[in-house]
Amino acid sequence: MILIGENINIMSTTIGIALRERIPGPIQNLARAESEAGIDYLDLNIGPARKDGDALMPWLVNTVQEVIDKPLSLDTTNPLATEAGLKVCNRRALINSVSLQPERLVKILPMAKQYNAEIIGLLWGVEGMPRDANERCMLAVDIIYKANEIGIPNEDIWIDPIVTPVSVDINQVKACLEFMSMLADIAPGCKSIVGLSNISNGTPANLRSYLNRTYLAMLMKYGIYAAIVDAFDEELIRLARGEMPEIVNLVHRMMDGEKPDMSVLSHKEKEYAKSVKVLSGESLYSHSWLEI
Ligand code: THG
């Protein structure tokens, strides 16, 4: 699995300041730390960057590629910022992301072709968030068709179904999993990717990783190709690297309907089992789901 570190993002207080003040040190330290933690790509998230995105993104790309040779994912909704980043990027880039707004598509797709970048196709339609797995399929087919049309092959398209927080809408959590089980059939050759930490947005900070890890194990049932993750969650990285096969097996058996005897599970197995119940909609999410 390809792991993309999420940590360089403008929402983080220290990184937000470093970006605004153009201080390379904290960003380069974080890039090194993410790299040492074992991630494969670095996500560079500057958000909407409406004002000076076209100056900020190239500065950030240069700041990071000066010290790290991993591939970069350019994460912004400002197409001018994306293009300015692509111009200076000295390796093959991943554009994060392309959605189905026509005005964005006409800018980003030719740009991806011109700079030979890969793209994340974000399943966000003209009417906003897709409501279920079928709407996601329609959006995926649409985006892939338009990308193919200008010469971007399926192998360069990473499809992101948009993970929503479990505390907001469990049906969307299930829809993402269902969509993942369909993707290989509707889009042969395309890759899959999620922003994993979205699942636990709004959850107490000390509990987020339980949901992140369990949802990743669930997505692994459908062969998830890549995930944008917290680079410093060591257990998550071990899980993704195939070093926790018993846990993954337990999660997958539960997804197939098996009801394990909770009284014989280890402490760790119980954490995962309880989280599977919440993420599959079997029990209702509450901040105390691990204690029940
Ligand atoms: N899909 C794609 N790109 C994405 C997302 C996605 N990019 C942004 C986001 N979702 C993935 N990245 C993050 C980055 C940080 C957090 C969540 C997702 C996060 N951070 C903590 C917080 O805000 O509380 C801590 C911030 C800090 O201090 O570092 O939750 O879905 N294609």
Side-chain angles (χ1 to χ4, degrees), residues 140-172:
V141 167
D142 204 2
I143 212 162
I144 292 161
Y145 181 84
K146 291 188 168 109
N148 288 166
E149 225 175 16
I150 72 154
I152 300 170
N154 284 12
E155 286 64 33
D156 292 347
I157 306 172
W158 307 30
I159 296 292
D160 182 338
I162 310 183
V163 170
T164 33
V166 64
S167 57
V168 171
D169 188 354
I170 183 62
N171 289 317
Q172 286 286 18

CSV table of all heavy atoms in Angstrom, one decimal, residues 140-172:
chain,number,residue,atom,x,y,z
A,140,ALA,N,-17.2,8.5,-10.9
A,140,ALA,CA,-15.9,7.9,-11.2
A,140,ALA,C,-15.8,7.7,-12.7
A,140,ALA,O,-14.8,8.0,-13.3
A,140,ALA,CB,-15.7,6.6,-10.4
A,141,VAL,N,-16.9,7.1,-13.3
A,141,VAL,CA,-16.9,6.8,-14.7
A,141,VAL,C,-16.7,8.1,-15.5
A,141,VAL,O,-16.0,8.2,-16.5
A,141,VAL,CB,-18.2,6.1,-15.1
A,141,VAL,CG1,-18.4,6.0,-16.6
A,141,VAL,CG2,-18.2,4.6,-14.5
A,142,ASP,N,-17.4,9.1,-15.0
A,142,ASP,CA,-17.4,10.4,-15.7
A,142,ASP,C,-16.0,11.0,-15.7
A,142,ASP,O,-15.4,11.5,-16.7
A,142,ASP,CB,-18.3,11.4,-14.9
A,142,ASP,CG,-18.9,12.5,-15.7
A,142,ASP,OD1,-18.5,12.6,-16.9
A,142,ASP,OD2,-19.6,13.4,-15.2
A,143,ILE,N,-15.3,11.0,-14.5
A,143,ILE,CA,-14.0,11.6,-14.4
A,143,ILE,C,-13.0,10.8,-15.2
A,143,ILE,O,-12.1,11.4,-15.9
A,143,ILE,CB,-13.6,11.8,-12.9
A,143,ILE,CG1,-12.8,13.0,-12.7
A,143,ILE,CG2,-12.9,10.6,-12.4
A,143,ILE,CD1,-12.8,13.5,-11.2
A,144,ILE,N,-13.1,9.5,-15.2
A,144,ILE,CA,-12.2,8.7,-15.9
A,144,ILE,C,-12.3,8.9,-17.4
A,144,ILE,O,-11.3,9.0,-18.1
A,144,ILE,CB,-12.4,7.2,-15.5
A,144,ILE,CG1,-12.0,6.9,-14.1
A,144,ILE,CG2,-11.6,6.2,-16.4
A,144,ILE,CD1,-12.5,5.7,-13.4
A,145,TYR,N,-13.6,8.9,-17.9
A,145,TYR,CA,-13.8,9.2,-19.3
A,145,TYR,C,-13.2,10.5,-19.8
A,145,TYR,O,-12.5,10.5,-20.8
A,145,TYR,CB,-15.3,9.2,-19.5
A,145,TYR,CG,-15.7,9.4,-21.0
A,145,TYR,CD1,-15.8,8.3,-21.9
A,145,TYR,CD2,-16.0,10.7,-21.5
A,145,TYR,CE1,-16.1,8.5,-23.2
A,145,TYR,CE2,-16.3,10.9,-22.8
A,145,TYR,CZ,-16.3,9.8,-23.7
A,145,TYR,OH,-16.6,10.0,-25.0
A,146,LYS,N,-13.4,11.5,-19.0
A,146,LYS,CA,-12.8,12.8,-19.4
A,146,LYS,C,-11.3,12.9,-19.3
A,146,LYS,O,-10.7,13.5,-20.1
A,146,LYS,CB,-13.4,13.9,-18.5
A,146,LYS,CG,-14.9,14.1,-18.8
A,146,LYS,CD,-15.5,15.3,-18.1
A,146,LYS,CE,-16.9,15.6,-18.6
A,146,LYS,NZ,-18.0,15.3,-17.7
A,147,ALA,N,-10.7,12.1,-18.4
A,147,ALA,CA,-9.3,12.1,-18.3
A,147,ALA,C,-8.7,11.3,-19.5
A,147,ALA,O,-7.8,11.7,-20.1
A,147,ALA,CB,-8.9,11.5,-17.0
A,148,ASN,N,-9.3,10.1,-19.7
A,148,ASN,CA,-8.9,9.3,-20.9
A,148,ASN,C,-9.0,10.0,-22.2
A,148,ASN,O,-8.1,9.9,-23.0
A,148,ASN,CB,-9.8,8.0,-21.0
A,148,ASN,CG,-9.6,7.0,-19.9
A,148,ASN,OD1,-10.4,6.1,-19.8
A,148,ASN,ND2,-8.6,7.1,-19.1
A,149,GLU,N,-10.0,10.8,-22.3
A,149,GLU,CA,-10.2,11.6,-23.5
A,149,GLU,C,-9.1,12.5,-23.9
A,149,GLU,O,-8.8,12.7,-25.1
A,149,GLU,CB,-11.5,12.5,-23.3
A,149,GLU,CG,-12.4,12.5,-24.5
A,149,GLU,CD,-13.7,13.3,-24.2
A,149,GLU,OE1,-13.7,14.1,-23.2
A,149,GLU,OE2,-14.7,13.2,-24.9
A,150,ILE,N,-8.4,13.0,-22.9
A,150,ILE,CA,-7.2,13.9,-23.2
A,150,ILE,C,-5.9,13.1,-23.0
A,150,ILE,O,-4.9,13.7,-23.0
A,150,ILE,CB,-7.2,15.2,-22.5
A,150,ILE,CG1,-6.9,15.0,-21.0
A,150,ILE,CG2,-8.5,16.0,-22.6
A,150,ILE,CD1,-6.3,16.3,-20.4
A,151,GLY,N,-6.0,11.8,-22.9
A,151,GLY,CA,-4.8,11.0,-23.0
A,151,GLY,C,-4.2,10.6,-21.6
A,151,GLY,O,-3.0,10.2,-21.6
A,152,ILE,N,-5.0,10.8,-20.6
A,152,ILE,CA,-4.5,10.3,-19.3
A,152,ILE,C,-5.0,8.9,-19.1
A,152,ILE,O,-6.2,8.6,-19.0
A,152,ILE,CB,-5.0,11.2,-18.1
A,152,ILE,CG1,-4.5,12.7,-18.3
A,152,ILE,CG2,-4.5,10.7,-16.7
A,152,ILE,CD1,-5.1,13.7,-17.4
A,153,PRO,N,-4.0,7.9,-18.9
A,153,PRO,CA,-4.5,6.5,-18.8
A,153,PRO,C,-5.0,6.1,-17.4
A,153,PRO,O,-4.6,6.8,-16.4
A,153,PRO,CB,-3.2,5.7,-19.1
A,153,PRO,CG,-2.1,6.6,-18.7
A,153,PRO,CD,-2.6,8.0,-18.9
A,154,ASN,N,-5.8,5.1,-17.3
A,154,ASN,CA,-6.3,4.7,-16.0
A,154,ASN,C,-5.2,4.5,-14.9
A,154,ASN,O,-5.5,4.8,-13.8
A,154,ASN,CB,-7.1,3.4,-16.2
A,154,ASN,CG,-8.5,3.6,-16.8
A,154,ASN,OD1,-8.7,4.7,-17.3
A,154,ASN,ND2,-9.3,2.6,-16.7
A,155,GLU,N,-4.1,4.0,-15.3
A,155,GLU,CA,-3.0,3.8,-14.4
A,155,GLU,C,-2.6,5.0,-13.7
A,155,GLU,O,-2.0,5.0,-12.6
A,155,GLU,CB,-1.8,3.2,-15.1
A,155,GLU,CG,-1.9,1.7,-15.6
A,155,GLU,CD,-3.0,1.5,-16.6
A,155,GLU,OE1,-3.3,2.4,-17.4
A,155,GLU,OE2,-3.7,0.5,-16.6
A,156,ASP,N,-2.8,6.2,-14.2
A,156,ASP,CA,-2.4,7.5,-13.6
A,156,ASP,C,-3.5,8.1,-12.9
A,156,ASP,O,-3.4,9.3,-12.4
A,156,ASP,CB,-1.9,8.4,-14.7
A,156,ASP,CG,-0.6,7.9,-15.3
A,156,ASP,OD1,0.0,7.0,-14.8
A,156,ASP,OD2,-0.2,8.5,-16.4
A,157,ILE,N,-4.7,7.4,-12.7
A,157,ILE,CA,-5.8,8.0,-12.0
A,157,ILE,C,-6.1,7.3,-10.7
A,157,ILE,O,-6.3,6.1,-10.7
A,157,ILE,CB,-7.1,7.9,-12.9
A,157,ILE,CG1,-6.9,8.5,-14.3
A,157,ILE,CG2,-8.3,8.6,-12.2
A,157,ILE,CD1,-8.0,8.3,-15.3
A,158,TRP,N,-6.0,8.1,-9.6
A,158,TRP,CA,-6.3,7.5,-8.3
A,158,TRP,C,-7.7,8.0,-7.9
A,158,TRP,O,-7.9,9.2,-7.8
A,158,TRP,CB,-5.3,8.0,-7.3
A,158,TRP,CG,-3.8,7.8,-7.7
A,158,TRP,CD1,-3.3,7.8,-8.9
A,158,TRP,CD2,-2.7,7.6,-6.7
A,158,TRP,NE1,-1.9,7.5,-8.8
A,158,TRP,CE2,-1.6,7.4,-7.5
A,158,TRP,CE3,-2.7,7.5,-5.3
A,158,TRP,CZ2,-0.3,7.2,-6.9
A,158,TRP,CZ3,-1.4,7.3,-4.8
A,158,TRP,CH2,-0.2,7.1,-5.6
A,159,ILE,N,-8.6,7.1,-7.7
A,159,ILE,CA,-10.0,7.5,-7.4
A,159,ILE,C,-10.2,7.6,-5.8
A,159,ILE,O,-9.9,6.7,-5.1
A,159,ILE,CB,-11.0,6.5,-8.0
A,159,ILE,CG1,-10.9,6.5,-9.5
A,159,ILE,CG2,-12.4,6.8,-7.5
A,159,ILE,CD1,-11.4,7.8,-10.2
A,160,ASP,N,-10.7,8.8,-5.4
A,160,ASP,CA,-11.0,9.0,-4.0
A,160,ASP,C,-12.5,9.2,-3.7
A,160,ASP,O,-13.1,10.2,-4.2
A,160,ASP,CB,-10.2,10.3,-3.6
A,160,ASP,CG,-10.4,10.6,-2.1
A,160,ASP,OD1,-11.4,10.2,-1.5
A,160,ASP,OD2,-9.5,11.4,-1.6
A,161,PRO,N,-13.1,8.2,-3.0
A,161,PRO,CA,-14.6,8.3,-2.9
A,161,PRO,C,-15.0,9.3,-1.8
A,161,PRO,O,-16.2,9.5,-1.7
A,161,PRO,CB,-14.9,6.9,-2.3
A,161,PRO,CG,-13.7,6.5,-1.6
A,161,PRO,CD,-12.5,7.1,-2.4
A,162,ILE,N,-14.1,10.0,-1.2
A,162,ILE,CA,-14.4,11.0,-0.1
A,162,ILE,C,-14.9,10.3,1.2
A,162,ILE,O,-16.1,10.0,1.3
A,162,ILE,CB,-15.3,12.1,-0.5
A,162,ILE,CG1,-14.8,12.8,-1.8
A,162,ILE,CG2,-15.3,13.2,0.6
A,162,ILE,CD1,-15.7,13.9,-2.3
A,163,VAL,N,-14.1,10.1,2.1
A,163,VAL,CA,-14.4,9.6,3.4
A,163,VAL,C,-15.0,10.7,4.3
A,163,VAL,O,-14.5,11.8,4.3
A,163,VAL,CB,-13.2,9.0,4.1
A,163,VAL,CG1,-13.5,8.6,5.5
A,163,VAL,CG2,-12.7,7.8,3.3
A,164,THR,N,-16.2,10.4,4.9
A,164,THR,CA,-16.8,11.4,5.8
A,164,THR,C,-16.8,10.9,7.2
A,164,THR,O,-16.7,9.7,7.4
A,164,THR,CB,-18.3,11.6,5.4
A,164,THR,OG1,-18.8,10.5,4.9
A,164,THR,CG2,-18.4,12.7,4.4
A,165,PRO,N,-16.8,11.8,8.2
A,165,PRO,CA,-16.6,11.3,9.6
A,165,PRO,C,-17.8,10.4,10.0
A,165,PRO,O,-18.9,10.6,9.7
A,165,PRO,CB,-16.7,12.7,10.3
A,165,PRO,CG,-16.4,13.7,9.4
A,165,PRO,CD,-16.8,13.2,8.0
A,166,VAL,N,-17.4,9.4,10.8
A,166,VAL,CA,-18.3,8.4,11.3
A,166,VAL,C,-19.3,9.1,12.2
A,166,VAL,O,-20.5,8.7,12.3
A,166,VAL,CB,-17.6,7.3,12.1
A,166,VAL,CG1,-16.9,7.7,13.3
A,166,VAL,CG2,-18.6,6.2,12.4
A,167,SER,N,-18.9,10.2,12.9
A,167,SER,CA,-19.8,10.9,13.8
A,167,SER,C,-20.8,11.8,13.0
A,167,SER,O,-21.8,12.3,13.6
A,167,SER,CB,-19.0,11.8,14.7
A,167,SER,OG,-18.2,12.7,14.0
A,168,VAL,N,-20.7,11.9,11.7
A,168,VAL,CA,-21.6,12.7,10.9
A,168,VAL,C,-22.6,11.9,10.2
A,168,VAL,O,-23.8,12.1,10.2
A,168,VAL,CB,-20.8,13.6,9.9
A,168,VAL,CG1,-21.7,14.3,8.9
A,168,VAL,CG2,-19.9,14.6,10.6
A,169,ASP,N,-22.2,10.8,9.5
A,169,ASP,CA,-23.1,10.0,8.7
A,169,ASP,C,-22.6,8.6,8.4
A,169,ASP,O,-21.7,8.4,7.6
A,169,ASP,CB,-23.4,10.7,7.3
A,169,ASP,CG,-24.5,10.1,6.6
A,169,ASP,OD1,-25.0,9.0,7.0
A,169,ASP,OD2,-24.9,10.6,5.5
A,170,ILE,N,-23.1,7.7,9.2
A,170,ILE,CA,-22.6,6.3,9.1
A,170,ILE,C,-23.0,5.7,7.7
A,170,ILE,O,-22.2,4.9,7.1
A,170,ILE,CB,-23.2,5.4,10.2
A,170,ILE,CG1,-22.7,3.9,10.1
A,170,ILE,CG2,-24.7,5.4,10.1
A,170,ILE,CD1,-21.2,3.8,10.3
A,171,ASN,N,-24.0,6.2,7.0
A,171,ASN,CA,-24.4,5.7,5.7
A,171,ASN,C,-23.3,6.0,4.7
A,171,ASN,O,-23.0,5.2,3.8
A,171,ASN,CB,-25.7,6.2,5.3
A,171,ASN,CG,-26.8,5.6,6.1
A,171,ASN,OD1,-26.8,4.4,6.3
A,171,ASN,ND2,-27.8,6.4,6.5
A,172,GLN,N,-22.7,7.1,4.8
A,172,GLN,CA,-21.6,7.5,3.9
A,172,GLN,C,-20.3,6.6,4.2
A,172,GLN,O,-19.6,6.3,3.3
A,172,GLN,CB,-21.2,9.0,4.1
A,172,GLN,CG,-22.2,9.9,3.5
A,172,GLN,CD,-22.2,10.0,2.0
A,172,GLN,OE1,-21.6,9.1,1.3
A,172,GLN,NE2,-22.8,11.0,1.4
